[in-house]
Amino acid sequence: MAAGARPLLLLVLWTLAAPARPGPGETGDGGWQRRGPGAPAAVTEEQRCTVERRTDLSYAAFVQHYAFSRPVILQGLTDNSRFRALCSRQRLLASFGDSVVRLSTANTYSYQKVDLPFQDYVEHLLHPQDPASLGNDTLYFFGDNNFTEWASLFRHYSPPPFGLLGTTPAYSFGIAGAGSGVPFHWHGPGFSEVIYGRKVLYFPDRWWHATLNLDTSVFISTFLS
Ligand SMILES: *[C@@H]1O[C@H](CO)[C@@H](O)[C@H](O)[C@H]1NC(C)=O
Ligand SMILES: *[C@@H]1O[C@H](CO)[C@@H](O)[C@H](O)[C@H]1NC(C)=O
């Protein structure tokens, strides 16, 4: 992970709140929720999110009210339906099954790294986690992306259009099982978008937070640094 100053982020507390619209021939979860015997349910959502939600937020209002002070959930900001379609389980496995991905442990400073083919990760490691398991015992895929190899996917992603002066955006893309997440941590400012589920969250610089995936989740963060 770049510079060691950017610990993991998985901010996907709102996965269940707004299911994506199903595309033709595709279920709304992109095929990521495994069903049938032995497929545990998602983690139950708490309905007490206190982060403000805004639609039609102007850039000026974003800078004045949020950029340097508090988090916000941004709605209806970008249309990533094409990117979302490309992130279905079937499409990602067909395109990138053989690509080697780098997994990290979920503790704040992500000590351990493991490389393995994307298909092996999806088929063998992407299972629901016991929420009581420790971050350092959880291996998952977030960040350390090979943007050369996955360029055909990332060129379809539209990040939130709000930049911050003097920063450049950098993506971290990942997929993780229900019940996985990251213990309390902070890092620089940026956005987190749940691809299955439709929320974009902005997190200010050094804002303390923990994260929890309620379902198997596909997500992308745009760090501004
Ligand atoms: C994870 O952390 C716990 C508590 O600090 C420790 O007991 C355990 O051995 C660690 N696991 C690994 C795989 O390092
Ligand atoms: C990214 O993928 C390309 C093409 O497969 C490969 O040549 C390159 O070594 C990879 N880069 C890293 C940093 O793994």
Side-chain angles (χ1 to χ4, degrees):
M1 188 150 294
R6 180 165 57 74
L8 282 178
L9 171 83
L10 291 185
L11 230 160
V12 271
L13 292 165
W14 297 277
T15 310
L16 290 179
R21 277 186 302 266
E26 192 190 299
T27 57
D29 63 25
W32 288 106
Q33 309 318 324
R34 304 283 86 192
R35 314 227 184 266
V43 178
T44 308
E45 183 187 26
E46 285 200 28
Q47 302 285 349
R48 288 187 304 161
C49 176
T50 56
V51 176
E52 286 175 54
R53 290 168 192 244
R54 297 292 303 264
T55 41
D56 303 322
L57 186 67
S58 69
Y59 181 66
F62 167 73
V63 169
Q64 189 182 349
H65 299 295
Y66 302 102
F68 305 102
S69 50
R70 55 184 186 271
V72 60
I73 296 171
L74 304 166
Q75 297 177 307
L77 207 54
T78 50
D79 178 2
N80 275 306
S81 49
R82 170 95 179 120
F83 182 73
R84 187 177 307 113
L86 293 173
C87 286
S88 71
R89 189 176 191 274
Q90 195 183 4
R91 298 288 286 272
L92 282 186
L93 282 175
S95 305
F96 304 109
D98 296 334
S99 301
V100 170
V101 293
R102 173 155 291 187
L103 310 182
S104 311
T105 46
N107 47 322
T108 303
Y109 292 102
S110 305
Y111 299 107
Q112 202 196 334
K113 304 277 186 184
V114 171
D115 292 344
L116 88 177
F118 179 63
Q119 178 159 357
D120 289 358
Y121 174 65
V122 170
E123 289 177 355
H124 304 301
L125 293 182
L126 189 61
H127 45 67
Q129 303 276 320
D130 174 357
S133 63
L134 295 170
N136 63 338
D137 290 329
T138 305
L139 270 176
Y140 62 42
F141 173 38
F142 180 66
D144 288 312
N145 304 111
N146 186 326
F147 293 104
T148 311
E149 202 168 28
W150 294 57
S152 62
L153 174 69
F154 293 118
R155 70 190 169 86
H156 293 286
Y157 181 63
S158 303
F162 298 161
L164 289 180
L165 202 61
T167 68
T168 42
Y171 298 151
S172 278
F173 175 76
I175 302 171
S180 65
V182 181
F184 267 100
H185 66 284
W186 57 265
H187 39 63
F191 303 93
S192 177
E193 179 161 6
V194 178
I195 300 307
Y196 282 98
R198 302 194 67 181
K199 297 283 183 259
V200 177
L201 177 97
Y202 170 75
F203 45 88
D205 195 18
R206 285 170 278 184
W207 181 62
W208 278 94
H209 58 282
T211 67
L212 174 65
N213 293 297
L214 301 176
D215 276 316
T216 300
S217 302
V218 179
F219 40 88
I220 183 165
S221 287
T222 304
F223 289 94
L224 303 172
S225 53

